[in-house]
Amino acid sequence: MIIGDDVVGAGAIDAVTRSGLMNRRSFLLGSAVALGSIGLAGCATSGGMSMAEAERVYGPLPNERFPVPAVNISKINPKYLRRKVRYDSAEAVGTIIIDPRHYYVYRIEGDGYATRYGANVGRAGFLWSGDAYIGRKAEWPIWTPPKEMILRQPEAAPYAGGMPPGLNNPLGARTLYLYQNGAYTLYTIYSTIMPETIGKGVSSGCVGLLTQDMLDLYDKTPVNTKVVVLPA
């Protein structure tokens, strides 16, 4: 598909609604994905931020171009909430490490620490690994389904010319585009307003963070930042 000036294929989110009308939930989930809710217990998350802090960190973003709602943190396992953790790595500060096996994205902070974000990742058959780098960044990007998706799911055809930015756009508020050797890999790190997807394999290879987490990572990540995708 085309996003701005880029051609996108395998990294696109790959699902549609039963009625044939496309929306953010159908792009991300697909009929085979069963989602559940895991509530927060007590007043603090397990080994992480307090409930009060989580409600602040994942609160609404009214000043965005399209106001973003607060995250319903009862729909996410507390272990996937943002936190600073011990993480020994020889990679430079700022490097992004994606761990699809455990549904985490790390930003190396140095001195043996990293900021850890919960993520959704590619479902079976769409996982990949290797080194890449951020070749482009975009705020509230246009999303256009690839030809391959339209062939599999004709319901996507109305968006062949591109879905406008907004809360229903599957790329969300921010997107980091992964490149290798000067070429777009067809994969992205994108933002989602769907907490129930975090800790799940739901996409066609792209990696999703909660919008509040993605804004934090996006602002700290310049173009050419190294990205390491670990084996699943």
Side-chain angles (χ1 to χ4, degrees):
M1 62 185 177
I2 305 296
I3 299 178
D5 297 326
D6 289 325
V7 179
V8 181
I13 299 167
D14 189 12
V16 295
T17 57
R18 294 180 182 177
S19 66
L21 297 176
M22 310 293 285
N23 61 30
R24 185 181 187 85
R25 184 173 298 276
S26 65
F27 285 138
L28 289 170
L29 301 182
S31 60
V33 179
L35 297 177
S37 298
I38 303 174
L40 294 173
C43 296
T45 63
S46 177
M49 63 180 67
S50 67
M51 176 74 78
E53 186 179 5
E55 290 177 346
R56 178 185 61 81
V57 169
Y58 294 101
L61 303 172
N63 297 323
E64 278 293 314
R65 178 180 173 188
F66 303 95
V68 176
V71 174
N72 184 345
I73 53 178
S74 70
K75 292 187 175 182
I76 181 172
N77 188 314
K79 70 181 182 180
Y80 295 125
L81 298 177
R82 186 194 321 168
R83 61 184 300 191
K84 191 172 184 179
V85 297
R86 290 289 306 178
Y87 193 85
D88 293 325
S89 173
E91 299 292 347
V93 171
T95 300
I96 296 171
I97 299 178
I98 298 171
D99 181 357
R101 180 178 299 174
H102 299 103
Y103 306 100
Y104 288 128
V105 170
Y106 296 86
R107 180 188 185 270
I108 301 301
E109 305 293 352
D111 297 324
Y113 284 92
T115 300
R116 189 181 72 187
Y117 309 89
N120 66 46
V121 300
R123 62 186 184 273
F126 291 92
L127 294 167
W128 64 285
S129 62
D131 290 354
Y133 62 91
I134 303 302
R136 190 169 81 87
K137 302 171 59 172
E139 298 187 10
W140 294 105
I142 293 172
W143 181 84
T144 308
K147 293 179 180 179
E148 295 81 2
M149 179 180 178
I150 293 173
L151 288 174
R152 292 193 305 269
Q153 297 172 291
E155 297 91 343
Y159 298 95
M163 176 183 281
L167 294 180
N168 288 330
N169 184 303
L171 293 178
R174 302 289 189 276
T175 303
L176 299 171
Y177 298 86
L178 304 186
Y179 281 64
Q180 291 176 324
N181 301 317
Y184 181 37
T185 64
L186 310 181
Y187 298 107
T188 68
I189 306 172
Y190 67 94
S191 55
T192 178
I193 60 172
M194 298 173 61
E196 62 267 36
T197 69
I198 303 301
K200 304 287 194 303
V202 299
S203 78
S204 296
C206 295
V207 175
L209 304 183
L210 291 171
T211 300
Q212 287 80 352
D213 285 341
M214 186 60 183
L215 265 62
D216 183 74
L217 179 63
Y218 185 96
D219 289 343
K220 297 174 181 176
T221 303
V223 170
N224 292 323
T225 295
K226 183 178 179 180
V227 179
V228 179
V229 183
L230 303 176

